PDB file of all heavy atoms in Angstrom:
ATOM      1  N   ASP A 744       0.825  -1.211   0.000  1.00  0.00           N
ATOM      2  CA  ASP A 744       0.000   0.000   0.000  1.00  0.00           C
ATOM      3  C   ASP A 744       0.857   1.258   0.000  1.00  0.00           C
ATOM      4  O   ASP A 744       0.533   2.244  -0.659  1.00  0.00           O
ATOM      5  CB  ASP A 744      -0.937   0.016   1.216  1.00  0.00           C
ATOM      6  CG  ASP A 744      -2.065  -0.994   1.096  1.00  0.00           C
ATOM      7  OD1 ASP A 744      -2.343  -1.434  -0.037  1.00  0.00           O
ATOM      8  OD2 ASP A 744      -2.660  -1.343   2.133  1.00  0.00           O
ATOM      9  N   TYR A 745       1.949   1.209   0.752  1.00  0.00           N
ATOM     10  CA  TYR A 745       2.811   2.386   0.849  1.00  0.00           C
ATOM     11  C   TYR A 745       3.470   2.693  -0.497  1.00  0.00           C
ATOM     12  O   TYR A 745       3.476   3.840  -0.956  1.00  0.00           O
ATOM     13  CB  TYR A 745       3.868   2.181   1.935  1.00  0.00           C
ATOM     14  CG  TYR A 745       4.632   3.441   2.280  1.00  0.00           C
ATOM     15  CD1 TYR A 745       3.971   4.557   2.800  1.00  0.00           C
ATOM     16  CD2 TYR A 745       6.006   3.523   2.098  1.00  0.00           C
ATOM     17  CE1 TYR A 745       4.662   5.709   3.127  1.00  0.00           C
ATOM     18  CE2 TYR A 745       6.711   4.668   2.423  1.00  0.00           C
ATOM     19  CZ  TYR A 745       6.033   5.758   2.936  1.00  0.00           C
ATOM     20  OH  TYR A 745       6.710   6.910   3.252  1.00  0.00           O
ATOM     21  N   PHE A 746       4.010   1.676  -1.128  1.00  0.00           N
ATOM     22  CA  PHE A 746       4.635   1.888  -2.439  1.00  0.00           C
ATOM     23  C   PHE A 746       3.592   2.309  -3.468  1.00  0.00           C
ATOM     24  O   PHE A 746       3.843   3.179  -4.303  1.00  0.00           O
ATOM     25  CB  PHE A 746       5.382   0.632  -2.904  1.00  0.00           C
ATOM     26  CG  PHE A 746       6.794   0.571  -2.404  1.00  0.00           C
ATOM     27  CD1 PHE A 746       7.070   0.116  -1.117  1.00  0.00           C
ATOM     28  CD2 PHE A 746       7.848   0.990  -3.194  1.00  0.00           C
ATOM     29  CE1 PHE A 746       8.373   0.088  -0.636  1.00  0.00           C
ATOM     30  CE2 PHE A 746       9.159   0.962  -2.734  1.00  0.00           C
ATOM     31  CZ  PHE A 746       9.425   0.510  -1.443  1.00  0.00           C
ATOM     32  N   ASN A 747       2.415   1.732  -3.389  1.00  0.00           N
ATOM     33  CA  ASN A 747       1.352   2.069  -4.348  1.00  0.00           C
ATOM     34  C   ASN A 747       0.838   3.484  -4.156  1.00  0.00           C
ATOM     35  O   ASN A 747       0.188   4.040  -5.048  1.00  0.00           O
ATOM     36  CB  ASN A 747       0.207   1.067  -4.234  1.00  0.00           C
ATOM     37  CG  ASN A 747      -0.691   1.073  -5.456  1.00  0.00           C
ATOM     38  OD1 ASN A 747      -0.249   1.346  -6.572  1.00  0.00           O
ATOM     39  ND2 ASN A 747      -1.965   0.809  -5.248  1.00  0.00           N
ATOM     40  N   SER A 748       1.146   4.084  -2.999  1.00  0.00           N
ATOM     41  CA  SER A 748       0.674   5.453  -2.738  1.00  0.00           C
ATOM     42  C   SER A 748       1.550   6.497  -3.429  1.00  0.00           C
ATOM     43  O   SER A 748       1.240   7.686  -3.398  1.00  0.00           O
ATOM     44  CB  SER A 748       0.661   5.730  -1.230  1.00  0.00           C
ATOM     45  OG  SER A 748       1.978   5.908  -0.728  1.00  0.00           O
ATOM     46  N   ALA A 749       2.661   6.056  -4.043  1.00  0.00           N
ATOM     47  CA  ALA A 749       3.588   6.993  -4.684  1.00  0.00           C
ATOM     48  C   ALA A 749       3.458   6.960  -6.198  1.00  0.00           C
ATOM     49  O   ALA A 749       3.234   5.909  -6.795  1.00  0.00           O
ATOM     50  CB  ALA A 749       5.024   6.653  -4.289  1.00  0.00           C
ATOM     51  N   ARG A 750       3.633   8.126  -6.821  1.00  0.00           N
ATOM     52  CA  ARG A 750       3.616   8.219  -8.283  1.00  0.00           C
ATOM     53  C   ARG A 750       4.883   7.651  -8.895  1.00  0.00           C
ATOM     54  O   ARG A 750       4.868   7.164 -10.022  1.00  0.00           O
ATOM     55  CB  ARG A 750       3.520   9.693  -8.728  1.00  0.00           C
ATOM     56  CG  ARG A 750       2.227  10.413  -8.419  1.00  0.00           C
ATOM     57  CD  ARG A 750       2.382  11.909  -8.720  1.00  0.00           C
ATOM     58  NE  ARG A 750       2.839  12.152 -10.095  1.00  0.00           N
ATOM     59  CZ  ARG A 750       3.396  13.288 -10.514  1.00  0.00           C
ATOM     60  NH1 ARG A 750       3.598  14.285  -9.642  1.00  0.00           N
ATOM     61  NH2 ARG A 750       3.754  13.442 -11.773  1.00  0.00           N
ATOM     62  N   HIS A 751       5.984   7.770  -8.157  1.00  0.00           N
ATOM     63  CA  HIS A 751       7.299   7.504  -8.750  1.00  0.00           C
ATOM     64  C   HIS A 751       8.215   6.822  -7.742  1.00  0.00           C
ATOM     65  O   HIS A 751       8.175   7.123  -6.541  1.00  0.00           O
ATOM     66  CB  HIS A 751       7.920   8.832  -9.199  1.00  0.00           C
ATOM     67  CG  HIS A 751       9.278   8.694  -9.805  1.00  0.00           C
ATOM     68  ND1 HIS A 751       9.474   8.274 -11.103  1.00  0.00           N
ATOM     69  CD2 HIS A 751      10.522   8.897  -9.280  1.00  0.00           C
ATOM     70  CE1 HIS A 751      10.765   8.235 -11.362  1.00  0.00           C
ATOM     71  NE2 HIS A 751      11.424   8.605 -10.275  1.00  0.00           N
ATOM     72  N   LEU A 752       9.061   5.917  -8.245  1.00  0.00           N
ATOM     73  CA  LEU A 752      10.099   5.275  -7.438  1.00  0.00           C
ATOM     74  C   LEU A 752      11.468   5.733  -7.930  1.00  0.00           C
ATOM     75  O   LEU A 752      11.753   5.665  -9.124  1.00  0.00           O
ATOM     76  CB  LEU A 752      10.003   3.750  -7.577  1.00  0.00           C
ATOM     77  CG  LEU A 752      11.205   2.943  -7.044  1.00  0.00           C
ATOM     78  CD1 LEU A 752      11.317   3.056  -5.526  1.00  0.00           C
ATOM     79  CD2 LEU A 752      11.099   1.470  -7.459  1.00  0.00           C
ATOM     80  N   HIS A 753      12.302   6.186  -6.997  1.00  0.00           N
ATOM     81  CA  HIS A 753      13.704   6.456  -7.336  1.00  0.00           C
ATOM     82  C   HIS A 753      14.580   5.491  -6.559  1.00  0.00           C
ATOM     83  O   HIS A 753      14.387   5.278  -5.362  1.00  0.00           O
ATOM     84  CB  HIS A 753      14.111   7.887  -6.978  1.00  0.00           C
ATOM     85  CG  HIS A 753      15.580   8.136  -7.237  1.00  0.00           C
ATOM     86  ND1 HIS A 753      16.110   8.145  -8.517  1.00  0.00           N
ATOM     87  CD2 HIS A 753      16.632   8.333  -6.385  1.00  0.00           C
ATOM     88  CE1 HIS A 753      17.420   8.358  -8.451  1.00  0.00           C
ATOM     89  NE2 HIS A 753      17.753   8.470  -7.172  1.00  0.00           N
ATOM     90  N   MET A 754      15.546   4.891  -7.246  1.00  0.00           N
ATOM     91  CA  MET A 754      16.484   4.011  -6.556  1.00  0.00           C
ATOM     92  C   MET A 754      17.886   4.162  -7.122  1.00  0.00           C
ATOM     93  O   MET A 754      18.082   4.737  -8.196  1.00  0.00           O
ATOM     94  CB  MET A 754      16.023   2.562  -6.626  1.00  0.00           C
ATOM     95  CG  MET A 754      15.918   1.988  -8.016  1.00  0.00           C
ATOM     96  SD  MET A 754      15.655   0.206  -7.944  1.00  0.00           S
ATOM     97  CE  MET A 754      17.345  -0.377  -7.728  1.00  0.00           C
ATOM     98  N   THR A 755      18.853   3.668  -6.372  1.00  0.00           N
ATOM     99  CA  THR A 755      20.248   3.714  -6.810  1.00  0.00           C
ATOM    100  C   THR A 755      20.821   2.310  -6.821  1.00  0.00           C
ATOM    101  O   THR A 755      20.222   1.366  -6.297  1.00  0.00           O
ATOM    102  CB  THR A 755      21.113   4.592  -5.877  1.00  0.00           C
ATOM    103  OG1 THR A 755      21.446   3.834  -4.698  1.00  0.00           O
ATOM    104  CG2 THR A 755      20.399   5.886  -5.488  1.00  0.00           C
ATOM    105  N   GLY A 756      22.009   2.188  -7.387  1.00  0.00           N
ATOM    106  CA  GLY A 756      22.689   0.903  -7.418  1.00  0.00           C
ATOM    107  C   GLY A 756      23.413   0.576  -6.129  1.00  0.00           C
ATOM    108  O   GLY A 756      24.058  -0.467  -6.027  1.00  0.00           O
ATOM    109  N   ILE A 757      23.310   1.469  -5.130  1.00  0.00           N
ATOM    110  CA  ILE A 757      23.967   1.204  -3.852  1.00  0.00           C
ATOM    111  C   ILE A 757      23.183   0.175  -3.046  1.00  0.00           C
ATOM    112  O   ILE A 757      23.743  -0.802  -2.544  1.00  0.00           O
ATOM    113  CB  ILE A 757      24.140   2.508  -3.044  1.00  0.00           C
ATOM    114  CG1 ILE A 757      25.007   3.497  -3.813  1.00  0.00           C
ATOM    115  CG2 ILE A 757      24.749   2.212  -1.674  1.00  0.00           C
ATOM    116  CD1 ILE A 757      25.091   4.877  -3.180  1.00  0.00           C
ATOM    117  N   SER A 758      21.874   0.381  -2.939  1.00  0.00           N
ATOM    118  CA  SER A 758      21.037  -0.506  -2.110  1.00  0.00           C
ATOM    119  C   SER A 758      21.171  -1.975  -2.483  1.00  0.00           C
ATOM    120  O   SER A 758      21.406  -2.820  -1.603  1.00  0.00           O
ATOM    121  CB  SER A 758      19.571  -0.070  -2.180  1.00  0.00           C
ATOM    122  OG  SER A 758      19.432   1.241  -1.713  1.00  0.00           O
ATOM    123  N   PRO A 759      21.036  -2.352  -3.765  1.00  0.00           N
ATOM    124  CA  PRO A 759      21.136  -3.771  -4.091  1.00  0.00           C
ATOM    125  C   PRO A 759      22.524  -4.362  -3.863  1.00  0.00           C
ATOM    126  O   PRO A 759      22.687  -5.585  -3.862  1.00  0.00           O
ATOM    127  CB  PRO A 759      20.752  -3.828  -5.582  1.00  0.00           C
ATOM    128  CG  PRO A 759      20.914  -2.444  -6.097  1.00  0.00           C
ATOM    129  CD  PRO A 759      20.650  -1.547  -4.940  1.00  0.00           C
ATOM    130  N   ALA A 760      23.528  -3.502  -3.655  1.00  0.00           N
ATOM    131  CA  ALA A 760      24.888  -3.991  -3.388  1.00  0.00           C
ATOM    132  C   ALA A 760      25.106  -4.329  -1.921  1.00  0.00           C
ATOM    133  O   ALA A 760      26.082  -5.001  -1.569  1.00  0.00           O
ATOM    134  CB  ALA A 760      25.911  -2.940  -3.821  1.00  0.00           C
ATOM    135  N   LEU A 761      24.201  -3.885  -1.058  1.00  0.00           N
ATOM    136  CA  LEU A 761      24.425  -4.021   0.386  1.00  0.00           C
ATOM    137  C   LEU A 761      24.279  -5.449   0.887  1.00  0.00           C
ATOM    138  O   LEU A 761      24.966  -5.863   1.824  1.00  0.00           O
ATOM    139  CB  LEU A 761      23.465  -3.099   1.164  1.00  0.00           C
ATOM    140  CG  LEU A 761      23.624  -1.602   0.917  1.00  0.00           C
ATOM    141  CD1 LEU A 761      22.583  -0.828   1.700  1.00  0.00           C
ATOM    142  CD2 LEU A 761      25.032  -1.141   1.284  1.00  0.00           C
ATOM    143  N   SER A 762      23.362  -6.218   0.293  1.00  0.00           N
ATOM    144  CA  SER A 762      23.123  -7.597   0.729  1.00  0.00           C
ATOM    145  C   SER A 762      22.197  -8.277  -0.265  1.00  0.00           C
ATOM    146  O   SER A 762      21.556  -7.616  -1.096  1.00  0.00           O
ATOM    147  CB  SER A 762      22.475  -7.626   2.123  1.00  0.00           C
ATOM    148  OG  SER A 762      21.179  -7.039   2.075  1.00  0.00           O
ATOM    149  N   ALA A 763      22.096  -9.600  -0.156  1.00  0.00           N
ATOM    150  CA  ALA A 763      21.189 -10.354  -1.024  1.00  0.00           C
ATOM    151  C   ALA A 763      19.745  -9.940  -0.774  1.00  0.00           C
ATOM    152  O   ALA A 763      18.934  -9.824  -1.711  1.00  0.00           O
ATOM    153  CB  ALA A 763      21.371 -11.853  -0.790  1.00  0.00           C
ATOM    154  N   SER A 764      19.400  -9.678   0.486  1.00  0.00           N
ATOM    155  CA  SER A 764      18.015  -9.300   0.797  1.00  0.00           C
ATOM    156  C   SER A 764      17.688  -7.902   0.274  1.00  0.00           C
ATOM    157  O   SER A 764      16.558  -7.640  -0.151  1.00  0.00           O
ATOM    158  CB  SER A 764      17.748  -9.381   2.305  1.00  0.00           C
ATOM    159  OG  SER A 764      18.500  -8.413   3.017  1.00  0.00           O
ATOM    160  N   CYS A 765      18.683  -7.000   0.265  1.00  0.00           N
ATOM    161  CA  CYS A 765      18.463  -5.661  -0.292  1.00  0.00           C
ATOM    162  C   CYS A 765      18.302  -5.730  -1.808  1.00  0.00           C
ATOM    163  O   CYS A 765      17.491  -4.998  -2.388  1.00  0.00           O
ATOM    164  CB  CYS A 765      19.633  -4.736   0.065  1.00  0.00           C
ATOM    165  SG  CYS A 765      19.619  -4.139   1.761  1.00  0.00           S
ATOM    166  N   HIS A 766      19.063  -6.607  -2.445  1.00  0.00           N
ATOM    167  CA  HIS A 766      18.924  -6.791  -3.895  1.00  0.00           C
ATOM    168  C   HIS A 766      17.540  -7.339  -4.223  1.00  0.00           C
ATOM    169  O   HIS A 766      16.886  -6.883  -5.162  1.00  0.00           O
ATOM    170  CB  HIS A 766      20.007  -7.734  -4.414  1.00  0.00           C
ATOM    171  CG  HIS A 766      19.866  -8.054  -5.869  1.00  0.00           C
ATOM    172  ND1 HIS A 766      19.408  -9.268  -6.319  1.00  0.00           N
ATOM    173  CD2 HIS A 766      20.082  -7.297  -6.981  1.00  0.00           C
ATOM    174  CE1 HIS A 766      19.357  -9.263  -7.648  1.00  0.00           C
ATOM    175  NE2 HIS A 766      19.753  -8.075  -8.069  1.00  0.00           N
ATOM    176  N   GLU A 767      17.080  -8.294  -3.429  1.00  0.00           N
ATOM    177  CA  GLU A 767      15.751  -8.874  -3.627  1.00  0.00           C
ATOM    178  C   GLU A 767      14.672  -7.801  -3.442  1.00  0.00           C
ATOM    179  O   GLU A 767      13.711  -7.723  -4.211  1.00  0.00           O
ATOM    180  CB  GLU A 767      15.544 -10.020  -2.629  1.00  0.00           C
ATOM    181  CG  GLU A 767      14.270 -10.817  -2.858  1.00  0.00           C
ATOM    182  CD  GLU A 767      14.102 -11.955  -1.862  1.00  0.00           C
ATOM    183  OE1 GLU A 767      14.645 -11.857  -0.733  1.00  0.00           O
ATOM    184  OE2 GLU A 767      13.407 -12.928  -2.194  1.00  0.00           O
ATOM    185  N   PHE A 768      14.845  -6.956  -2.429  1.00  0.00           N
ATOM    186  CA  PHE A 768      13.905  -5.860  -2.161  1.00  0.00           C
ATOM    187  C   PHE A 768      13.861  -4.909  -3.349  1.00  0.00           C
ATOM    188  O   PHE A 768      12.789  -4.501  -3.795  1.00  0.00           O
ATOM    189  CB  PHE A 768      14.346  -5.112  -0.893  1.00  0.00           C
ATOM    190  CG  PHE A 768      13.381  -4.064  -0.420  1.00  0.00           C
ATOM    191  CD1 PHE A 768      12.508  -4.326   0.624  1.00  0.00           C
ATOM    192  CD2 PHE A 768      13.338  -2.798  -1.004  1.00  0.00           C
ATOM    193  CE1 PHE A 768      11.612  -3.359   1.086  1.00  0.00           C
ATOM    194  CE2 PHE A 768      12.456  -1.828  -0.568  1.00  0.00           C
ATOM    195  CZ  PHE A 768      11.591  -2.111   0.480  1.00  0.00           C
ATOM    196  N   ALA A 769      15.045  -4.562  -3.874  1.00  0.00           N
ATOM    197  CA  ALA A 769      15.134  -3.607  -4.992  1.00  0.00           C
ATOM    198  C   ALA A 769      14.424  -4.135  -6.232  1.00  0.00           C
ATOM    199  O   ALA A 769      13.639  -3.428  -6.874  1.00  0.00           O
ATOM    200  CB  ALA A 769      16.593  -3.306  -5.309  1.00  0.00           C
ATOM    201  N   LEU A 770      14.696  -5.384  -6.578  1.00  0.00           N
ATOM    202  CA  LEU A 770      14.083  -5.974  -7.770  1.00  0.00           C
ATOM    203  C   LEU A 770      12.574  -6.078  -7.605  1.00  0.00           C
ATOM    204  O   LEU A 770      11.812  -5.771  -8.531  1.00  0.00           O
ATOM    205  CB  LEU A 770      14.685  -7.358  -8.034  1.00  0.00           C
ATOM    206  CG  LEU A 770      14.214  -8.081  -9.295  1.00  0.00           C
ATOM    207  CD1 LEU A 770      14.503  -7.242 -10.547  1.00  0.00           C
ATOM    208  CD2 LEU A 770      14.881  -9.457  -9.397  1.00  0.00           C
ATOM    209  N   HIS A 771      12.139  -6.466  -6.415  1.00  0.00           N
ATOM    210  CA  HIS A 771      10.697  -6.571  -6.136  1.00  0.00           C
ATOM    211  C   HIS A 771      10.030  -5.202  -6.246  1.00  0.00           C
ATOM    212  O   HIS A 771       8.940  -5.075  -6.822  1.00  0.00           O
ATOM    213  CB  HIS A 771      10.473  -7.161  -4.742  1.00  0.00           C
ATOM    214  CG  HIS A 771       9.026  -7.310  -4.384  1.00  0.00           C
ATOM    215  ND1 HIS A 771       8.229  -8.339  -4.858  1.00  0.00           N
ATOM    216  CD2 HIS A 771       8.208  -6.531  -3.618  1.00  0.00           C
ATOM    217  CE1 HIS A 771       7.007  -8.202  -4.389  1.00  0.00           C
ATOM    218  NE2 HIS A 771       6.964  -7.114  -3.634  1.00  0.00           N
ATOM    219  N   ALA A 772      10.688  -4.172  -5.698  1.00  0.00           N
ATOM    220  CA  ALA A 772      10.119  -2.809  -5.741  1.00  0.00           C
ATOM    221  C   ALA A 772       9.952  -2.334  -7.180  1.00  0.00           C
ATOM    222  O   ALA A 772       8.923  -1.749  -7.541  1.00  0.00           O
ATOM    223  CB  ALA A 772      11.018  -1.848  -4.964  1.00  0.00           C
ATOM    224  N   MET A 773      10.952  -2.585  -8.006  1.00  0.00           N
ATOM    225  CA  MET A 773      10.887  -2.158  -9.405  1.00  0.00           C
ATOM    226  C   MET A 773       9.762  -2.891 -10.151  1.00  0.00           C
ATOM    227  O   MET A 773       8.967  -2.277 -10.863  1.00  0.00           O
ATOM    228  CB  MET A 773      12.226  -2.411 -10.103  1.00  0.00           C
ATOM    229  CG  MET A 773      13.366  -1.588  -9.556  1.00  0.00           C
ATOM    230  SD  MET A 773      14.930  -1.888 -10.427  1.00  0.00           S
ATOM    231  CE  MET A 773      14.895  -0.558 -11.626  1.00  0.00           C
ATOM    232  N   LYS A 774       9.691  -4.196  -9.962  1.00  0.00           N
ATOM    233  CA  LYS A 774       8.653  -4.976 -10.645  1.00  0.00           C
ATOM    234  C   LYS A 774       7.260  -4.576 -10.163  1.00  0.00           C
ATOM    235  O   LYS A 774       6.318  -4.464 -10.953  1.00  0.00           O
ATOM    236  CB  LYS A 774       8.882  -6.474 -10.417  1.00  0.00           C
ATOM    237  CG  LYS A 774      10.080  -7.032 -11.176  1.00  0.00           C
ATOM    238  CD  LYS A 774      10.235  -8.527 -10.931  1.00  0.00           C
ATOM    239  CE  LYS A 774      11.343  -9.119 -11.786  1.00  0.00           C
ATOM    240  NZ  LYS A 774      11.533 -10.576 -11.521  1.00  0.00           N
ATOM    241  N   PHE A 775       7.135  -4.332  -8.854  1.00  0.00           N
ATOM    242  CA  PHE A 775       5.848  -3.924  -8.283  1.00  0.00           C
ATOM    243  C   PHE A 775       5.401  -2.586  -8.857  1.00  0.00           C
ATOM    244  O   PHE A 775       4.259  -2.437  -9.298  1.00  0.00           O
ATOM    245  CB  PHE A 775       5.960  -3.835  -6.756  1.00  0.00           C
ATOM    246  CG  PHE A 775       4.694  -3.358  -6.089  1.00  0.00           C
ATOM    247  CD1 PHE A 775       3.685  -4.244  -5.762  1.00  0.00           C
ATOM    248  CD2 PHE A 775       4.505  -2.006  -5.791  1.00  0.00           C
ATOM    249  CE1 PHE A 775       2.511  -3.808  -5.150  1.00  0.00           C
ATOM    250  CE2 PHE A 775       3.344  -1.555  -5.197  1.00  0.00           C
ATOM    251  CZ  PHE A 775       2.338  -2.458  -4.865  1.00  0.00           C
ATOM    252  N   MET A 776       6.305  -1.603  -8.860  1.00  0.00           N
ATOM    253  CA  MET A 776       5.941  -0.266  -9.339  1.00  0.00           C
ATOM    254  C   MET A 776       5.629  -0.269 -10.830  1.00  0.00           C
ATOM    255  O   MET A 776       4.716   0.417 -11.293  1.00  0.00           O
ATOM    256  CB  MET A 776       7.053   0.730  -9.010  1.00  0.00           C
ATOM    257  CG  MET A 776       7.237   0.978  -7.519  1.00  0.00           C
ATOM    258  SD  MET A 776       5.800   1.719  -6.705  1.00  0.00           S
ATOM    259  CE  MET A 776       6.143   3.466  -6.939  1.00  0.00           C
ATOM    260  N   ARG A 777       6.373  -1.046 -11.592  1.00  0.00           N
ATOM    261  CA  ARG A 777       6.096  -1.129 -13.030  1.00  0.00           C
ATOM    262  C   ARG A 777       4.721  -1.752 -13.267  1.00  0.00           C
ATOM    263  O   ARG A 777       3.957  -1.296 -14.120  1.00  0.00           O
ATOM    264  CB  ARG A 777       7.192  -1.935 -13.724  1.00  0.00           C
ATOM    265  CG  ARG A 777       6.892  -2.188 -15.184  1.00  0.00           C
ATOM    266  CD  ARG A 777       8.146  -2.385 -16.004  1.00  0.00           C
ATOM    267  NE  ARG A 777       8.753  -1.109 -16.344  1.00  0.00           N
ATOM    268  CZ  ARG A 777       9.726  -0.973 -17.250  1.00  0.00           C
ATOM    269  NH1 ARG A 777      10.204  -2.034 -17.870  1.00  0.00           N
ATOM    270  NH2 ARG A 777      10.225   0.204 -17.525  1.00  0.00           N
ATOM    271  N   LYS A 778       4.392  -2.783 -12.512  1.00  0.00           N
ATOM    272  CA  LYS A 778       3.082  -3.444 -12.651  1.00  0.00           C
ATOM    273  C   LYS A 778       1.943  -2.475 -12.325  1.00  0.00           C
ATOM    274  O   LYS A 778       0.857  -2.550 -12.898  1.00  0.00           O
ATOM    275  CB  LYS A 778       3.015  -4.668 -11.733  1.00  0.00           C
ATOM    276  CG  LYS A 778       1.806  -5.560 -11.965  1.00  0.00           C
ATOM    277  CD  LYS A 778       1.860  -6.795 -11.089  1.00  0.00           C
ATOM    278  CE  LYS A 778       0.639  -7.672 -11.309  1.00  0.00           C
ATOM    279  NZ  LYS A 778       0.658  -8.867 -10.415  1.00  0.00           N
ATOM    280  N   GLN A 779       2.218  -1.541 -11.402  1.00  0.00           N
ATOM    281  CA  GLN A 779       1.203  -0.550 -11.007  1.00  0.00           C
ATOM    282  C   GLN A 779       1.151   0.630 -11.966  1.00  0.00           C
ATOM    283  O   GLN A 779       0.368   1.557 -11.781  1.00  0.00           O
ATOM    284  CB  GLN A 779       1.490  -0.036  -9.589  1.00  0.00           C
ATOM    285  CG  GLN A 779       1.529  -1.107  -8.509  1.00  0.00           C
ATOM    286  CD  GLN A 779       0.238  -1.877  -8.391  1.00  0.00           C
ATOM    287  OE1 GLN A 779      -0.841  -1.311  -8.493  1.00  0.00           O
ATOM    288  NE2 GLN A 779       0.334  -3.188  -8.181  1.00  0.00           N
ATOM    289  N   GLY A 780       2.022   0.628 -12.992  1.00  0.00           N
ATOM    290  CA  GLY A 780       2.023   1.713 -13.975  1.00  0.00           C
ATOM    291  C   GLY A 780       2.715   2.974 -13.501  1.00  0.00           C
ATOM    292  O   GLY A 780       2.482   4.062 -14.035  1.00  0.00           O
ATOM    293  N   LYS A 781       3.589   2.852 -12.494  1.00  0.00           N
ATOM    294  CA  LYS A 781       4.325   4.013 -11.974  1.00  0.00           C
ATOM    295  C   LYS A 781       5.623   4.195 -12.759  1.00  0.00           C
ATOM    296  O   LYS A 781       6.090   3.276 -13.432  1.00  0.00           O
ATOM    297  CB  LYS A 781       4.671   3.808 -10.502  1.00  0.00           C
ATOM    298  CG  LYS A 781       3.555   3.214  -9.664  1.00  0.00           C
ATOM    299  CD  LYS A 781       2.461   4.211  -9.347  1.00  0.00           C
ATOM    300  CE  LYS A 781       1.475   3.601  -8.347  1.00  0.00           C
ATOM    301  NZ  LYS A 781       0.597   4.602  -7.743  1.00  0.00           N
ATOM    302  N   THR A 782       6.229   5.371 -12.644  1.00  0.00           N
ATOM    303  CA  THR A 782       7.532   5.594 -13.273  1.00  0.00           C
ATOM    304  C   THR A 782       8.648   5.262 -12.286  1.00  0.00           C
ATOM    305  O   THR A 782       8.475   5.380 -11.068  1.00  0.00           O
ATOM    306  CB  THR A 782       7.683   7.045 -13.758  1.00  0.00           C
ATOM    307  OG1 THR A 782       7.320   7.949 -12.697  1.00  0.00           O
ATOM    308  CG2 THR A 782       6.802   7.304 -14.973  1.00  0.00           C
TER     309      THR A 782
END
């Protein structure tokens, strides 16, 4: 719900480098926002 409340997602290549779980979070966030039609 929180991510869906935003028009846009900004991310960097730092977060997915921090750990396997952060990389998983980053990829999930991108796929989720794209599915919702966000930029």
Side-chain angles (χ1 to χ4, degrees):
D744 288 341
Y745 191 62
F746 273 82
N747 198 31
S748 74
R750 293 171 55 199
H751 179 79
L752 167 67
H753 176 67
M754 62 170 277
T755 79
I757 299 173
S758 300
L761 297 178
S762 65
S764 66
C765 283
H766 176 254
E767 188 179 26
F768 187 100
L770 184 58
H771 180 78
M773 295 181 95
K774 288 181 175 178
F775 177 86
M776 293 297 271
R777 174 154 279 192
K778 190 176 179 182
Q779 302 301 321
K781 318 285 188 166
T782 50

